[in-house]
Amino acid sequence: MSGKSNMSKRYTSEFKRDAVALVLSSGRNVTEVARELGVSPEGLRGWVKRAKTDRGEGAPGALTTAEREELQRLRRESREQQQTIEILKKAAAFFAKETMK
C-alpha cells in the first residue's frame, strides 16, 4: 500500500502562483521544485501550463482560466434554460388540453 492519500490536497491560488514563479524564475525543472515544495510534479506541471496559457503563451486554441470559467457558466445556464423550456412545453400542453375540455 502506498503512502499516498486518496484525497487530493487543495492549494491556495497564492501557493500555486508562487510555485509557478519559482519554476519559471529558478531555472530548475518542475520535478526538483515539486520535490522541494512537497507537491506532485504532475500537479505543478499543470499549474505551470495553466499559467502560461493565461498569459497567452499556451498551445493554440487553449482556453485561459477566465475562458474556461465562462464556458462552464454558459453551459450551466444553457442546461437550466433547456430544463425551463421543457417545463414550459409540458405546462403549455397541459393547459391546452384543459382549455379544449
Side-chain angles (χ1 to χ4, degrees), residues 1-2 5 9 11 14 20-22 26 32 38 57 63 75 77 86-87 91-92 96 98 101:
M1 189 165 166
S2 76
S5 166
K9 291 183 181 178
Y11 298 99
E14 292 80 16
V20 167
L22 186 58
S26 70
E32 291 175 56
E57 300 170 8
L63 299 177
R75 285 179 175 165
E77 286 178 9
E86 289 305 312
I87 291 169
E98 289 297 310
K101 288 184 178 180

Side-chain angles (χ1 to χ4, degrees), residues 8-21:
S8 63
K9 291 183 181 178
R10 289 300 225 200
Y11 298 99
T12 65
S13 55
E14 292 80 16
F15 179 85
K16 292 177 182 180
R17 184 194 61 229
D18 292 346
V20 167

Side-chain angles (χ1 to χ4, degrees), residues 87-101:
I87 291 169
L88 292 173
K89 282 181 181 178
K90 289 175 184 176
F94 173 79
F95 288 117
K97 286 181 188 175
E98 289 297 310
T99 308
M100 298 301 258
K101 288 184 178 180

Side-chain angles (χ1 to χ4, degrees), residues 9-60:
K9 291 183 181 178
R10 289 300 225 200
Y11 298 99
T12 65
S13 55
E14 292 80 16
F15 179 85
K16 292 177 182 180
R17 184 194 61 229
D18 292 346
V20 167
L22 186 58
V23 169
L24 299 177
S25 66
S26 70
R28 293 182 291 156
N29 68 39
V30 169
T31 303
E32 291 175 56
V33 174
R35 190 175 304 125
E36 179 181 316
L37 296 176
V39 300
S40 78
E42 296 81 16
L44 182 52
R45 197 168 286 110
W47 300 344
V48 170
K49 182 178 177 183
R50 170 73 33 223
K52 287 181 176 181
T53 298
D54 287 348
R55 289 195 318 247
E57 300 170 8

